[in-house]
Amino acid sequence: MSTEVKVPALPESVSEATVVTWHKQPGDAVERDENLVDLETDKVVLEVPAPEDGVLGEILKPEGETVTAGEVVATLGEGEGATAPAAAAESSSADAAPTVAEPNAAAAPAMPAGESPALSPAVRHLVDEHGLDPSRIPATGRNGRILKEDVLRYIEQGGGQAEAPSTPAPAPASAPAGETAAPATPTAAMPTGEREERRVPMTRLRQRIAERLVEAQQTAAMLTTFNEVNMQPVMDIRSRYKDQFVKTHDTKLGFMSFFVKAAVEALKRFPAVNASIDGTDILYHGYYDIGIAVSTERGLMVPVLRDADQLSFAEIEAAIADFGQRAQQGKIEIDELTGGTFTITNGGIFGSLVSTPILNPPQSGILGMHKIQERPMAENGQVVVRPMMYLAHSYDHRIIDGKEAVQFLVTIKDMLEDPARLLLEV
């Protein structure tokens, strides 16, 4: 008797998902609650656990398929599991079991010793399309399984070029004895080298990011104001207390907690920056939920620090570190990505010196941090070298005037250049 493996309930406002990675193949033994497959929505990656112990039977929705809530993606049967697919014929003799081919490959030759485990449909399609040898592809999946990303990385690194059969160019025909060969007719110069193109579907998260970025630019009267901050005072505090901070709070002291604290104080003074537009109304938020942009392989995610005004430096740093780790693992929950009132993004970790951040709708403001770079600065008639950072504040000009936007950013600058003000709230 088989059990159906179904798509779980999807997050609110999400109607469908894409099958990303199967972690088990037909014939594999599975345990109850073990993750079978990852489903990607436009916000998060969902895991589909096994409903009970058993053996994975038929996969009904291969990687790349679109599924909806409640849809059956595979079947689960009873048994101990096997290394061959579940459809393999049983042997009547314990001494000699017949070799069983993969599903839909009855005429395929027997698998050579040392070959990687069975390939998923999406991986098999790529391997066949590019004429690759699976045994040469470095596998990063569980139990040595080759993932789709492994194949794409192998192709990008030129791994498939050596496997493509080369056709020698025909030797030029020689002129008959006694005759002079006519000069070759000039031909148009042809491009040399690789000119490969690769079409890859956008992930649901990337599609959603694209939609929101376009929405922000089309619906908001977005404008950006810039300033610069001397990071020396913050760097001095961080250098002085970083070891003691780790011992006391078991988390590292970074720059982000200073920026979150400074932003919250500035938002308190300029509530329009913490507001949003709802139809023809302005919605002023009496709380401070700060979104922290986190870069992942799948794209940018913005988990939210709830009630950031009530968090200590240590709590902010610990929460951000946790966000970063879980974002890379695809473990961020949907409710952690919604409801922010203001966002902070740090392009400086990638080397950005200055940029214009785009609003995160329906928010009306976003702060862009950038690379810290030593520059000569004039102070009291003297030229000194200071570690400077450019700050960018993008805002919705429909509800935030230029004066408010500039003063908001100046407040953040003042707080960072005199961090004691963050403690005294002055």
Side-chain angles (χ1 to χ4, degrees):
M1 180 177 178
S2 63
T3 301
E4 295 179 335
V5 179
K6 297 182 179 181
V7 177
L10 298 177
E12 185 179 356
S13 77
V14 175
S15 60
E16 57 186 21
T18 300
V19 179
V20 180
T21 305
W22 277 99
H23 298 288
K24 293 289 185 178
Q25 294 298 313
D28 288 349
V30 299
E31 298 179 357
R32 180 184 177 87
D33 296 329
E34 184 178 7
N35 182 28
L36 298 179
V37 60
D38 292 336
L39 305 179
E40 181 186 53
T41 72
D42 58 9
K43 296 181 179 179
V44 294
V45 173
L46 302 175
E47 296 182 349
V48 179
E52 59 186 33
D53 295 344
V55 176
L56 185 61
E58 182 182 3
I59 292 178
L60 303 176
K61 298 293 181 179
E63 294 174 2
E65 286 280 330
T66 298
V67 295
T68 56
E71 193 168 359
V72 180
V73 295
T75 58
L76 195 64
E78 300 176 354
E80 297 292 331
T83 56
E90 296 182 358
S91 171
S92 59
S93 170
D95 298 327
T99 302
V100 182
E102 297 181 16
N104 303 323
M111 180 183 293
E115 186 171 331
S116 58
L119 306 180
S120 69
V123 172
R124 170 60 65 186
H125 175 74
L126 276 176
V127 167
D128 293 343
E129 179 182 2
H130 294 273
L132 304 178
D133 181 356
S135 64
R136 297 186 181 183
I137 302 175
T140 62
R142 187 179 301 177
N143 298 325
R145 189 171 301 283
I146 298 174
L147 305 180
K148 184 177 180 180
E149 293 78 4
D150 298 332
V151 181
L152 296 176
R153 187 182 306 110
Y154 183 70
I155 295 173
E156 288 178 353
Q157 295 174 351
Q161 298 176 10
E163 300 170 27
S166 57
T167 304
S174 57
E179 295 185 13
T180 303
T185 302
T187 58
M190 297 298 293
T192 59
E194 293 294 330
R195 291 171 57 82
E196 180 181 341
E197 292 184 341
R198 183 164 58 91
R199 184 183 297 271
V200 179
M202 293 174 67
T203 64
R204 288 189 175 274
L205 177 60
R206 176 56 59 187
Q207 293 178 42
R208 182 58 175 163
I209 291 173
E211 290 173 2
R212 289 180 64 82
L213 293 179
V214 172
E215 175 190 352
Q217 293 188 315
Q218 290 181 341
T219 60
M222 195 173 72
L223 195 63
T224 304
T225 183
F226 299 92
N227 213 313
E228 57 184 354
V229 57
N230 176 10
M231 293 295 295
Q232 192 66 60
V234 171
M235 294 173 68
D236 288 343
I237 290 179
R238 185 169 177 261
S239 177
R240 188 180 309 136
Y241 295 108
K242 64 179 181 180
D243 293 336
Q244 186 176 347
F245 192 88
V246 172
K247 291 179 182 178
T248 304
H249 302 290
D250 196 28
T251 189
K252 293 182 179 179
L253 177 61
F255 294 121
M256 189 61 76
S257 54
F258 289 91
F259 279 86
V260 171
K261 284 288 188 179
V264 167
E265 288 304 315
L267 290 171
K268 290 179 179 179
R269 302 182 188 189
F270 301 95
V273 184
N274 197 49
S276 59
I277 291 180
D278 184 12
T280 58
D281 298 329
I282 298 177
L283 184 60
Y284 290 94
H285 306 291
Y287 50 89
Y288 306 92
D289 290 351
I290 309 299
I292 306 296
V294 177
S295 178
T296 73
E297 293 183 357
R298 298 175 54 242
L300 194 69
M301 307 181 79
V302 189
V304 178
L305 283 171
R306 306 291 179 189
D307 297 317
D309 58 315
Q310 302 176 26
L311 301 178
S312 67
F313 279 80
E315 289 172 329
I316 292 173
E317 292 291 352
I320 292 175
D322 177 60
F323 283 155
Q325 182 178 8
R326 289 193 293 120
Q328 298 299 333
Q329 299 171 348
K331 304 293 185 182
I332 296 290
E333 300 293 337
I334 185 65
D335 60 344
E336 295 177 297
L337 299 173
T338 57
T341 61
F342 185 79
T343 294
I344 301 177
T345 181
N346 184 8
I349 59 176
F350 304 111
S352 172
L353 186 60
V354 65
S355 64
T356 303
I358 298 178
L359 293 174
N360 183 17
Q363 297 171 21
S364 299
I366 181 172
L367 175 67
M369 301 166 54
H370 297 91
K371 178 183 178 181
I372 298 174
Q373 187 174 59
E374 290 190 340
R375 295 201 300 273
M377 304 296 293
E379 292 183 2
N380 301 320
Q382 301 292 324
V383 176
V384 294
V385 176
R386 298 297 187 208
M388 305 299 294
M389 176 192 287
Y390 286 117
L391 300 180
H393 173 214
S394 293
Y395 58 98
D396 191 341
H397 210 350
R398 292 178 298 171
I399 63 173
I400 303 173
D401 293 332
K403 177 183 176 181
E404 289 179 297
V406 171
Q407 290 179 330
F408 171 84
L409 194 56
V410 169
T411 300
I412 292 178
K413 169 185 169 69
D414 291 342
M415 292 286 178
L416 295 172
E417 291 186 339
D418 187 4
R421 301 177 65 174
L422 294 174
L423 300 177
L424 301 175
E425 299 182 357
V426 297

